[in-house]
Amino acid sequence: MRTAVVWQVLHEALDRRARTVGRDVLDVLDAGGGTGNLAVPIARLGHRVTVVDPSPDALAALERRAAEAGVTSLVRACQGDTHGLFDVVEPDAADVVLCHGVLEVVEDPAGDLAHIVRALRAGGTLSLLAANRTGAVLARALAGHFEQARHVLGDPDGRWGTADPMPRRFAVADLIDLVAKAGLEAGPVHAIRVFADLVPGVLVDDPASFDALLALEHAAAEQPEYRALATQLHLLATKSGG
């Protein structure tokens, strides 16, 4: 449920890029990809994926997952972070770059994104996933934490307090501005996890209810008015040229 909509959008973006460049096999960089939640499915499509992550434990889990899926030859695990990205990968070498859950935790989102974008070939696609500021307001309010919800509204980083485990959240305009400053053209923005984090688990215990909720998530993701409710925002952007 947490990744289904992102995966559908990303899968379609990979297919478009492959048709554009006339190659069945793309070079994909997953910056901060951890245990390979998306990297391994991408490799199963036949693409080459490099995952750069600072956690050796996450990378070990990635390698186990790739081995179980039979895609070891298509997945490369590299320990590193955004600042040392080009110690382990080449600039202008990726058709698609994933930057999921990264900008929330780095000290300089604009600078780090500009650095990551250097890995993209001209015409390449950036897949950006980040925590949504307005969605946090709703989530805190529905949980009965009204002071925390109000705090998010006025906090420059979109946090509900010092105990908030999320260092930073973004609005749609923030993400569009960041990709523009990085030299990319923003594409569609999708609302991710509009209902999934708000619906009690007991309501989706049976497969039919789960599938119905998933279908609802897919439908809402495409509609701009639901972005404000989402836990996360997913944006596709394109590097000029190519």
Side-chain angles (χ1 to χ4, degrees), residues 155-238:
D155 187 83
D157 290 323
R159 306 183 74 216
W160 49 255
T162 56
D164 190 343
M166 184 67 70
R168 187 183 297 106
R169 295 180 180 88
F170 300 90
V172 173
D174 298 329
L175 297 181
I176 292 175
D177 184 58
L178 283 169
V179 299
K181 289 179 177 176
L184 304 181
E185 181 180 350
V189 179
H190 294 88
I192 305 300
R193 290 157 53 193
V194 177
F195 307 105
D197 293 344
L198 304 177
V199 173
V202 67
L203 297 181
V204 288
D205 278 345
D206 64 283
S209 296
F210 182 92
D211 290 344
L213 178 57
L214 184 56
L216 178 61
E217 288 283 353
H218 280 291
E222 301 284 346
Q223 302 188 31
E225 55 266 34
Y226 287 97
R227 293 173 186 164
L229 308 179
T231 300
Q232 294 175 306
L233 299 167
H234 183 227
L235 184 150
L236 292 177
T238 305

Side-chain angles (χ1 to χ4, degrees), residues 28 37 49 58 62 66 78 82 149 151 184 191 205 215 219 230:
V28 180
N37 196 32
V49 189
L62 163 68
C78 300
T82 53
H151 192 277
L184 304 181
D205 278 345

Side-chain angles (χ1 to χ4, degrees), residues 42-117:
I42 291 172
R44 292 183 69 178
L45 296 176
H47 304 303
R48 292 183 292 262
V49 189
T50 298
V51 178
V52 179
D53 195 277
S55 169
D57 292 338
L59 294 176
L62 163 68
E63 291 176 334
R64 290 193 298 271
R65 179 178 281 182
E68 291 169 358
V71 293
T72 301
S73 63
L74 292 173
V75 176
R76 183 165 71 106
C78 300
Q79 187 173 0
D81 56 23
T82 53
H83 293 288
L85 187 63
F86 297 109
D87 294 334
V88 293
V89 301
E90 295 295 323
D92 305 312
D95 295 292
V96 177
V97 170
L98 278 59
C99 180
H100 293 182
V102 173
L103 299 188
E104 297 95 319
V105 298
V106 297
E107 291 186 10
D108 179 14
D112 282 58
L113 182 60
H115 194 61
I116 291 170
V117 165

